[in-house]
Amino acid sequence: MTVYAIIGGTGLTKLEGLTISAVLNIETPYGAPSAPILRGNYADREVLFLARHGHPHRIPPHQVNYRANIWALKHAGADVIIAVNAVGGIHAAMGTGHFCVPHQIIDYTHGREHTFFAGELEHVTHIDFSYPYNDILRDELVEALAAEGVAYSSHGVYACTQGPRLETVAEVARLERDGADIIGMTGMPEAALARELELPYACLALVVNPAAGKTHAIITMAEIERALDNGMDKVRATLARVLAG
Ligand code: HPA
């Protein structure tokens, strides 16, 4: 049976409903992952869970050890990865509380350790990354969102910014011209590293605020936390449907 790994983002540092059977403290050639990997049972299936920002939430997006996280999940036995990400909405359809299963990503990050293919190599490897997300997993997420009856978009372009600050209005306008629909800070290099280790990967994004300039108000952490509180039950229900499927 396929072993699903779930990477929980902001608002999902633990997976309620997960019956934990093992807590894996995995050291990797790249250092320690953000938190121990939890192995357990969720919706009658064996799953692995990792809190991207640590548990409790303490690691900012630009300091997440993405290489250690992906390497550790692979070595814990993950076959596929579903990443959960809180994002800002750019496209008019992406209001607070909306879900998006992105099909493309643009990387605006810098200075992050972003590849396993560095250092002393026997040969140089360039992975194909034309389609960063796995369509089978994307379809599973879309079907689950539809069954859950929540508002969602089955496609979207995810702009990954460096953070930890939010964007300026001009930056969001530029990302929109680039074709981005949602913005987050953690989609990359996570997706590319999963591809390098041949792990099918998809993202379940929850919009937690309109991106800068999309309303007249400034963005507050209180608004983001409220949206996370309101959305996480739906995230868990969606994941349970995917796993039960
Ligand atoms: N920008 C970038 N990352 C985010 C945002 C945003 O507006 N909201 C949640 N993560």
Side-chain angles (χ1 to χ4, degrees):
M1 219 181 190
T2 308
V3 177
Y4 282 70
I6 294 163
I7 301 181
T10 305
L12 194 69
T13 55
K14 61 184 196 316
L15 192 60
E16 270 155 44
L18 176 73
T19 319
I20 299 168
S21 56
V23 177
L24 309 173
N25 284 294
I26 299 179
E27 266 303 316
T28 83
Y30 309 97
S34 299
I37 292 174
L38 304 181
R39 172 178 288 142
N41 219 274
Y42 193 69
D44 279 336
R45 187 195 276 266
E46 186 190 340
V47 296
L48 300 166
F49 178 79
L50 175 62
R52 183 188 289 116
H53 299 281
H55 179 56
H57 186 303
R58 59 188 166 80
I59 309 168
H62 61 294
Q63 287 180 334
V64 169
N65 190 340
Y66 295 95
R67 292 197 300 184
N69 286 354
I70 297 297
W71 195 96
L73 287 173
K74 176 92 181 179
H75 286 262
D79 294 315
V80 303
I81 297 178
I82 293 180
V84 179
N85 300 71
V87 298
I90 302 178
H91 190 282
M94 307 288 172
T96 299
H98 197 78
F99 284 91
C100 180
V101 182
H103 68 295
Q104 280 291 329
I105 192 161
I106 306 176
D107 187 5
Y108 298 94
T109 67
H110 47 86
R112 300 183 181 189
E113 295 289 356
H114 63 286
T115 180
F116 293 110
F117 300 134
E120 296 285 313
L121 298 174
E122 275 167 33
H123 55 265
V124 177
T125 305
H126 302 281
I127 53 157
D128 174 77
F129 202 48
S130 311
Y131 302 99
Y133 299 109
N134 178 272
D135 277 339
I136 297 170
L137 290 174
R138 289 187 53 250
D139 286 348
E140 289 175 2
L141 284 167
V142 167
E143 272 172 34
L145 287 165
E148 212 42 48
V150 299
Y152 71 92
S153 298
S154 60
H155 293 77
V157 177
Y158 179 133
C160 188
T161 56
Q162 175 71 354
R165 67 166 177 84
L166 296 165
E167 298 72 32
T168 67
V169 171
E171 284 169 338
V172 171
R174 172 193 164 206
L175 299 180
E176 189 165 24
R177 286 194 298 277
D178 283 356
D181 301 303
I182 52 176
I183 322 178
M185 301 175 188
T186 50
M188 287 292 285
E190 198 172 89
L193 291 166
R195 178 64 54 86
E196 285 190 349
L197 294 192
E198 298 178 352
L199 284 165
Y201 177 100
C203 162
L204 175 62
L206 169 66
V207 180
V208 293
N209 60 279
K214 290 294 162 188
T215 64
H216 294 301
I218 59 162
I219 302 164
T220 64
M221 284 310 292
E223 136 189 36
I224 291 179
E225 275 157 25
R226 223 174 12 253
L228 286 167
D229 281 349
N230 291 337
M232 276 308 144
D233 281 349
K234 293 174 195 147
V235 168
R236 280 186 278 267
T238 302
L239 292 175
R241 275 186 196 274
V242 168
L243 295 169

